[in-house]
């Protein structure tokens, strides 16, 4: 695979920092540009982040002395220096929409961690193992934007990446009703226990906007390209409750599901074990070898023990059993800032690169 020069827009935030660590030794992607808000522009990465570095590993040496550019006023300059950019900015939704479109129109493809464009009809929202074919809508998006290279592709919400992968191979039995209660780590809010001491020994039963995303985003992921847009599927019916819990990393979901044709437990376990997607077939650098892991032990999966499975890119399942009101219930876990955020975006970029969308 050829080498690509990349930029990180919003490099100083928690997800931007995660991008930096994931891309430090990436075999295909070389970080050439870091950008952030005007108050950080002109400073070195190390100066701009200061004591706000939140990763467990040190800041990459190769990036410490890179001078940050202004994410909003240096668009043309950045576009001329890279093949594409990752975006993880902390701005209002309308501002993010405008910013990402400005980069695309400057012929700089954007792989976004943000939610702003997830429901733009011609923007693919991709979990690479589940709906890689959605990247084909980029042709229609380029026509709308009037671009040759520029486009926007987004990853889905971190919470759905815990349970949608486990449901996906079961769609052959006709998913009818899904109830998912998610227990979401504080890093999903860009926090750790030092910056959010109120979360120690606590649980907050509300995360703004999260339940709507968790109920609606899977329907787009499972949707189909019709003409120049992605049309959501109308089933299954999904209802969710999303809670913030005192866990540093790792979103857990308790899932209840009913089917049109009820499978056996053995059939479900076999489908989970055998499931492979395009990333596994192409052996993309960030792809887990085994996408879905099942634990027989009733005490697993646990966030502390299992969130880093396969470099944080695998999904863990456990406690599959029949239910009195639904057909089955089970538990899922994924690492929310790896599979669910920056890692998922890097895997999406690898898929796009392998299909020639950055050339």
């Amino acid at each position: 695979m050829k080498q690509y020069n990349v930029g990180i827009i919003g490099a100083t935030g928690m997800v931007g920092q995660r991008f930096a660590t994931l891309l430090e030794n990436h075999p295909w992607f070389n970080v050439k540009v870091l950008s952030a808000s005007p108050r950080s522009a002109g400073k070195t990465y190390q100066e701009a982040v200061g004591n706000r570095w939140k990763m467990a590993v040190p800041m990459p040496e190769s990036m410490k002395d890179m001078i940050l550019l202004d994410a909003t006023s240096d668009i043309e300059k950045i576009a001329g220096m890279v093949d594409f950019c990752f975006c993880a900015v902390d701005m209002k939704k309308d501002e993010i929409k405008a910013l990402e479109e400005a980069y695309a129109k400057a012929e700089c493809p954007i792989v976004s961690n943000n939610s702003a464009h997830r429901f733009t009809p011609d923007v693919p929202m991709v979990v690479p193992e589940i709906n890689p074919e959605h990247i084909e809508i980029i042709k229609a998006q380029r026509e709308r934007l009037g671009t040759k290279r520029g486009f926007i592709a987004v990853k889905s919400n971190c919470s759905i990446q815990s349970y949608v992968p486990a449901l996906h191979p079961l769609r052959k039995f006709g998913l009818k009703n899904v109830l998912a209660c998610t227990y979401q780590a504080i890093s999903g809010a860009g926090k750790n226990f030092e910056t959010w001491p109120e979360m120690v020994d606590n649980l907050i039963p509300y995360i703004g906007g999260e339940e709507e995303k968790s109920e609606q985003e899977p329907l787009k992921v499972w949707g189909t390209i019709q003409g120049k847009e992605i049309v959501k599927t109308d089933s299954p019916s999904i209802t969710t409750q999303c809670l913030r819990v005192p866990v540093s990393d790792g979103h857990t979901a308790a899932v209840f599901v009913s089917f049109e044709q009820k499978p056996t437990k053995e059939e479900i376990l076999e489908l989970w074990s055998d499931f492979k997607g395009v990333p596994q077939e192409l052996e993309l650098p960030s792809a887990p070898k085994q996408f879905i892991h099942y634990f027989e032990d009733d005490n697993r999966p646990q966030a502390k023990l299992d969130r880093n499975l396969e470099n944080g890119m695998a999904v863990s399942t456990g406690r599959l059993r029949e239910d009195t009101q639904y057909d089955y219930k089970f538990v899922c876990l994924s690492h929310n800032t790896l599979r669910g955020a920056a890692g998922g975006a890097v895997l999406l970029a690898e898929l796009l690169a392998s299909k020639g969308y950055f050339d």
Side-chain angles (χ1 to χ4, degrees):
M1 177 60 66
K2 65 177 284 189
Q3 298 289 300
Y4 295 92
N5 293 329
V6 307
I8 303 172
I9 306 167
T12 57
M14 179 177 275
V15 177
Q17 293 176 22
R18 180 68 80 180
F19 274 126
T21 62
L22 291 176
L23 296 170
E24 181 180 13
N25 297 304
H26 195 280
W28 300 355
F29 305 148
N30 304 309
V31 176
K32 294 296 183 182
V33 175
L34 300 175
S35 69
S37 65
R39 67 178 177 273
S40 296
K43 298 177 182 177
T44 66
Y45 192 32
Q46 191 168 31
E47 290 169 343
V49 173
N51 61 5
R52 293 181 294 114
W53 183 256
K54 294 174 179 168
M55 299 295 104
V57 296
M59 179 181 286
E61 287 291 332
S62 61
M63 301 181 204
K64 282 183 178 180
D65 295 326
M66 291 180 70
I67 303 297
L68 290 171
L69 298 182
D70 187 324
T72 53
S73 64
D74 290 330
I75 294 174
E76 293 290 340
K77 182 177 181 180
I78 293 169
M81 298 171 66
V82 300
D83 295 303
F84 72 96
C85 280
F86 294 101
C87 189
V89 294
D90 183 11
M91 300 164 66
K92 293 178 181 177
K93 188 168 286 192
D94 287 347
E95 294 173 343
I96 296 172
K97 274 189 169 183
L99 181 72
E100 292 182 345
E101 283 210 359
Y103 274 92
K105 288 178 178 178
E107 301 293 359
C108 178
I110 291 293
V111 179
S112 179
N113 185 74
N114 300 300
S115 65
H117 273 292
R118 286 183 192 155
F119 285 103
T120 302
D122 59 9
V123 170
M125 176 173 64
V126 180
V127 180
E129 284 89 350
I130 294 175
N131 62 328
E133 71 280 1
H134 281 193
I135 63 175
E136 294 169 16
I137 199 69
I138 288 171
K139 181 183 178 189
Q141 185 194 143
R142 283 171 167 163
E143 290 175 3
R144 174 176 65 84
L145 296 175
T147 61
K148 292 182 179 179
R149 289 189 70 254
F151 65 87
I152 302 159
V154 302
K155 53 152 288 296
S156 69
N157 189 43
C158 52
S159 66
I160 79 166
Q161 300 200 53
S162 58
Y163 59 90
V164 167
L167 291 171
H168 181 67
L170 310 182
R171 294 182 74 215
K172 63 183 290 184
F173 299 109
L175 298 178
K176 191 163 60 173
N177 296 301
V178 174
L179 164 63
C181 296
T182 62
Y183 305 88
Q184 300 186 202
I186 62 174
S187 56
K191 308 274 190 172
N192 56 26
F193 288 115
E194 290 179 4
T195 59
W196 202 2
E198 296 85 357
M199 275 307 301
V200 176
D201 191 29
N202 196 13
L203 180 152
I204 298 175
Y206 174 70
I207 306 172
E210 201 74 5
E211 285 155 9
E212 180 184 5
K213 295 174 188 174
S214 297
E215 293 169 359
Q216 293 300 314
E217 288 190 18
L219 303 181
K220 181 175 179 179
V221 169
W222 285 326
T224 55
I225 295 176
Q226 298 181 23
K228 297 186 176 182
E229 63 182 24
I230 297 167
V231 177
K232 292 192 298 182
T233 184
D234 54 9
S235 64
S237 174
I238 304 173
T239 185
T240 64
Q241 286 245 81
C242 300
L243 298 83
R244 188 72 71 193
V245 295
V247 171
S248 58
D249 294 299
H251 287 356
T252 299
V255 184
F256 303 76
V257 58
S258 57
F259 298 92
E260 300 288 349
Q261 299 171 306
K262 183 179 176 180
T264 65
K265 180 177 178 180
E266 290 71 27
E267 285 175 318
I268 294 173
L269 292 175
E270 184 177 3
L271 284 168
W272 283 348
S273 176
D274 292 347
F275 181 66
K276 294 183 186 301
V278 170
Q280 285 72 39
E281 294 167 1
L282 296 177
E283 298 183 346
L284 299 179
S286 298
K289 295 286 189 292
Q290 179 79 27
F291 185 32
I292 301 171
H293 293 248
Y294 183 76
F295 287 92
E296 295 286 352
D297 185 341
D298 281 342
N299 289 318
R300 307 283 285 276
Q302 293 181 26
K304 196 169 185 177
L305 297 178
D306 304 313
R307 61 194 170 205
N308 290 312
L309 197 62
E310 299 215 39
N311 298 314
M313 293 297 289
V315 173
S316 301
T317 57
R319 301 204 68 207
L320 174 65
R321 60 217 191 276
E322 293 192 55
D323 184 62
T324 56
Q325 297 182 37
Y326 291 75
D327 287 331
Y328 286 98
K329 54 190 172 186
F330 53 89
V331 175
C332 298
L333 168 72
S334 65
H335 196 302
N336 57 296
T337 69
L338 288 169
R339 166 55 72 167
V346 171
L347 184 61
L348 171 54
E350 292 168 0
L351 173 67
L352 290 162
S354 71
K355 300 295 184 181
Y357 281 88
F358 300 135
D359 298 335

